[in-house]
Amino acid sequence: MIEIYLFVNPLGGICLNVEKDILKLVETENKKIQFRFIPLVNMRTINDLIKLFEIPPHDIEQRNKLFEDIYSAALDYKAAQLQGKKKGRHLLLGLQKAVAEDNIPYSSELAEQLVSEAGGDLDMFKADRQSEFVKESFQTDQQIAREMGIVKHPSAVVYNYTCDRDFGVLVENCESMDEIKKLCDTSEENLQFIHETFELNHYNEPRVPHGHLHLL
């Protein structure tokens, strides 16, 4: 079995493309792949986006608006997930496409429209969206990111349990699927490559760097 954790900007176009590629990978591979898209929001990611969008560093209003929109979109996603993973993914990919590709400004109305399109219960979504449970669930995601050493999006952690010892490999800035696909390869040759390239440390032990790949 393979597990993929993908840490994303809930309004990001690059993350949208990687998510689509992972969904295609799951559909086309004949092996069991479990995956999870996790919204990542912290000061590092916000600062990276400020540079990307060329927002003046002293423009507090634009900085705050950027943070509030991304944080709000993350909570939308967590609330929609309570009605099922597919509804959550529909909202996430829909928000990213609308904002990053169609240049539609983020709004709560946009999120609610996507929930309705997915066949979700809008009243339930609105109630969940304001709940402490959803906020705590978001904070749990950020804790997972910190424990895995995630500081950028999109970043992925891949666990290939075909190996005789369990470890995860972190792929930073995974705009290409090449490294992720290689880590999902269960051929004897590739598994031997992984063993030879990385020291087999257990989760939460020091990571071993190798380019953009890190062992967890």
Side-chain angles (χ1 to χ4, degrees):
M1 188 185 75
I2 293 166
E3 286 185 331
I4 302 174
Y5 294 79
L6 182 68
F7 296 85
V8 302
N9 171 5
L11 296 179
I14 295 175
C15 295
L16 170 62
N17 292 332
V18 179
E19 291 159 14
K20 288 180 177 179
D21 287 340
I22 287 178
L23 291 173
K24 289 179 183 177
L25 180 69
V26 172
E27 290 177 359
T28 57
E29 288 290 330
N30 57 6
K31 59 179 70 75
K32 184 176 181 181
I33 300 177
Q34 295 184 349
F35 64 95
R36 182 175 172 188
F37 299 154
I38 301 178
L40 178 67
V41 186
N42 56 42
M43 293 311 300
R44 170 68 181 272
T45 60
I46 296 298
N47 287 334
D48 287 346
L49 291 172
I50 286 173
K51 294 177 182 177
L52 177 65
F53 298 145
E54 298 182 345
I55 296 174
H58 300 297
D59 192 330
I60 303 301
E61 184 176 346
Q62 286 196 63
R63 173 188 287 268
N64 288 344
K65 181 68 165 56
L66 181 65
F67 174 82
E68 289 169 3
D69 284 353
I70 294 176
Y71 174 66
S72 184
L75 295 186
D76 291 338
Y77 174 48
K78 300 303 295 183
Q81 279 187 311
L82 296 179
Q83 298 189 40
K85 293 180 180 179
K86 289 186 178 179
K87 291 183 175 64
R89 287 199 300 271
H90 179 87
L91 179 136
L92 176 65
L93 274 66
L95 285 178
Q96 291 167 325
K97 182 180 184 302
V99 174
E101 295 185 357
D102 301 335
N103 296 316
I104 299 173
Y106 167 80
S107 66
S108 58
E109 291 77 17
L110 175 60
E112 291 169 5
Q113 176 186 332
L114 290 166
V115 170
S116 296
E117 289 177 359
D121 185 317
L122 189 55
D123 290 336
M124 182 183 298
F125 170 78
K126 289 180 179 180
D128 290 335
R129 176 63 177 72
Q130 301 301 320
S131 69
E132 286 300 316
F133 177 81
V134 163
K135 294 176 183 177
E136 291 171 1
S137 179
F138 168 79
Q139 291 299 333
T140 298
D141 285 347
Q142 307 318 296
Q143 180 63 29
I144 291 172
R146 287 191 292 271
E147 290 176 356
M148 290 186 170
I150 309 297
V151 294
K152 300 177 181 180
H153 46 49
S155 291
V157 174
V158 181
Y159 287 86
N160 189 332
Y161 293 107
T162 310
C163 300
D164 57 8
R165 292 179 66 181
D166 296 340
F167 61 92
V169 178
L170 167 61
V171 185
E172 293 183 326
N173 295 331
C174 53
E175 298 180 16
S176 167
M177 284 291 291
D178 293 345
E179 291 173 321
I180 293 177
K181 287 180 179 178
K182 189 168 184 63
L183 293 168
C184 293
D185 184 359
T186 56
S187 66
E188 290 187 12
E189 179 181 354
N190 188 63
L191 294 179
Q192 183 63 30
F193 162 79
I194 294 175
H195 279 286
E196 291 176 352
T197 305
F198 301 100
E199 293 180 24
L200 299 181
N201 293 335
H202 288 291
Y203 178 67
N204 273 345
E205 291 182 355
R207 294 181 292 137
V208 180
H210 182 78
H212 289 295
L213 298 179
H214 303 277
L215 187 68
L216 297 181

